[in-house]
Amino acid sequence: MKLDTALTVAQLISLLVLLPAGAFRAWRKIDERLTEQDTRLIRIESQFHRNGGTSLRDQNDRMERDLAKLTGRFDQHIEERSK
């Protein structure tokens, strides 16, 4: 076996070892990133459901009720003033 052939075989073997190892490392990084994003999306999604007062949905519902009360009071005040 000549030196060129041995060098070529060594390069092929190193490629066969390094490429899968690099692909596995890249896959692990992508998996970590996707897991982190999934966790964040779950936290955001939980804010769109009623949970007894602390979610954004509950706060929005409270503001909507308060606005309806204020609108009713305002309308009543305007009607009294116009009489």
Side-chain angles (χ1 to χ4, degrees), residues 46-65:
S46 71
Q47 292 296 313
F48 291 103
H49 301 287
R50 293 182 179 99
N51 67 357
T54 59
S55 69
L56 288 175
R57 174 74 184 262
D58 291 329
Q59 293 173 15
N60 187 49
D61 290 346
R62 264 195 314 274
M63 287 189 298
E64 190 175 278
R65 282 192 306 268

Side-chain angles (χ1 to χ4, degrees), residues 28 32 39 41:
R28 297 249 318 168
E32 288 174 12
T39 303
L41 284 173

Side-chain angles (χ1 to χ4, degrees), residues 4 12 18-19 30 38 47 77 79-80 83:
D4 289 341
L12 285 173
L18 292 177
L19 282 178
I30 291 170
D38 190 41
Q47 292 296 313
H77 179 72
E79 286 174 9
E80 288 174 1
K83 288 183 180 179

